[in-house]
Amino acid sequence: PGGSYDPETHIAYIYACNSCIEPIGLVESPKEVSDLRYISGVAGREVQILRGPGENAGADSPKPPKKRAGGSYSRLEEDDLPIVKPPYGTITAINLDKGEFVWQIAHGETPDVVRNSELLKGMNIPRTGQTTYNIGTLVTKTLVIAGEGQVTTTADHPRGAMLRAYDKATGKEVGAVFMPAPQSGSPMTYMVHGKQYIVVAVSGGPYSGEYIAYTLPSAGE
């Protein structure tokens, strides 16, 4: 979804997934696939041709094979724990005039698989951020706002995700609201009759995609 830029301060606010990596390399190419000697792939797996959008989607197209060639995505983990050192996901404020980081924070609640791991029992694990791509940021006069890309269950909220707001000058979290599913697009803000709203797209797993709009209650509500 992309980051945000503040034209008044010349600071960009960028989400990055530090653990979104795949174990791929170069493998010898089958003759029926390419005349190149090596192509991208995973050693020990059958080469799989990636199809384009809409390919073989017509009503008269042949049925796909029951078992697709190749394997599924391999996560870089051991005992269900990522082998990459946290933070897994971050938001960074970058001063574009100086080319320097202003601040950087871990964005996203620690995943359940990490927090509840028997291997880490008794350890104080700070917020790790999350392994996810679908995070865009929204910058306002004083805040940076972004939702989480994974669902978690904590003592503070039921299974779901959080839409978090940070002080854009320091990166300190100043508020969060519950979302029933992960963020799937960049938040946006608008105003109607003098009242400001923030809307965000959410979806994931069995939860169908939808837009959720948030606003502060008016006096008397």
Side-chain angles (χ1 to χ4, degrees):
S4 302
Y5 173 69
D6 187 336
E8 295 182 351
T9 61
H10 300 179
I11 293 177
Y13 301 89
I14 309 297
Y15 173 81
C17 179
N18 301 328
S19 55
C20 293
I21 54 179
E22 298 183 36
I24 61 174
L26 294 177
V27 297
E28 291 192 14
S29 172
K31 293 181 179 179
E32 65 273 15
V33 172
S34 174
D35 59 358
L36 297 175
R37 183 175 179 182
Y38 295 100
I39 59 175
S40 175
V42 179
R45 290 190 185 177
E46 185 177 353
V47 172
Q48 178 178 334
I49 304 300
L50 298 179
R51 303 298 181 184
E55 187 171 349
N56 290 333
D60 58 348
S61 63
K63 293 183 179 180
K66 292 183 179 180
K67 183 178 180 181
R68 297 184 63 185
S72 59
Y73 165 71
S74 294
R75 301 176 64 90
L76 291 178
E77 58 186 28
E78 183 68 27
D79 294 322
D80 294 328
L81 295 175
I83 66 173
V84 179
K85 181 180 179 180
Y88 306 132
T90 59
I91 293 178
T92 305
I94 306 173
N95 186 313
L96 299 186
D97 291 331
K98 299 180 179 180
E100 299 175 350
F101 287 4
V102 180
W103 51 259
Q104 185 178 78
I105 58 167
H107 174 66
E109 188 60 70
T110 301
D112 291 348
V113 69
V114 175
R115 186 189 309 104
N116 301 327
S117 172
E118 287 295 322
L119 297 176
L120 303 177
K121 191 173 182 179
M123 298 179 63
N124 182 21
I125 306 297
R127 182 179 292 177
T128 64
Q130 299 176 347
T131 302
T132 181
Y133 290 103
N134 301 326
I135 302 299
T137 59
L138 165 68
V139 62
T140 70
K141 193 73 174 178
T142 58
L143 301 174
V144 177
I145 298 170
E148 295 178 338
Q150 294 180 1
V151 295
T152 57
T153 305
T154 72
D156 299 324
H157 66 76
R159 184 167 178 79
M162 302 298 289
L163 181 66
R164 301 186 183 276
Y166 304 96
D167 184 325
K168 76 175 187 180
T170 64
K172 180 181 179 181
E173 184 174 317
V174 295
V177 292
F178 178 77
M179 302 187 299
Q183 174 179 310
S184 56
S186 298
M188 64 166 288
T189 184
Y190 59 92
M191 186 170 287
V192 178
H193 302 308
K195 192 170 187 177
Q196 188 173 14
Y197 297 81
I198 294 175
V199 64
V200 61
V202 302
S203 66
Y207 199 92
S208 299
E210 66 180 11
Y211 291 107
I212 300 178
Y214 297 91
T215 189
L216 293 175
S218 302
E221 292 184 348

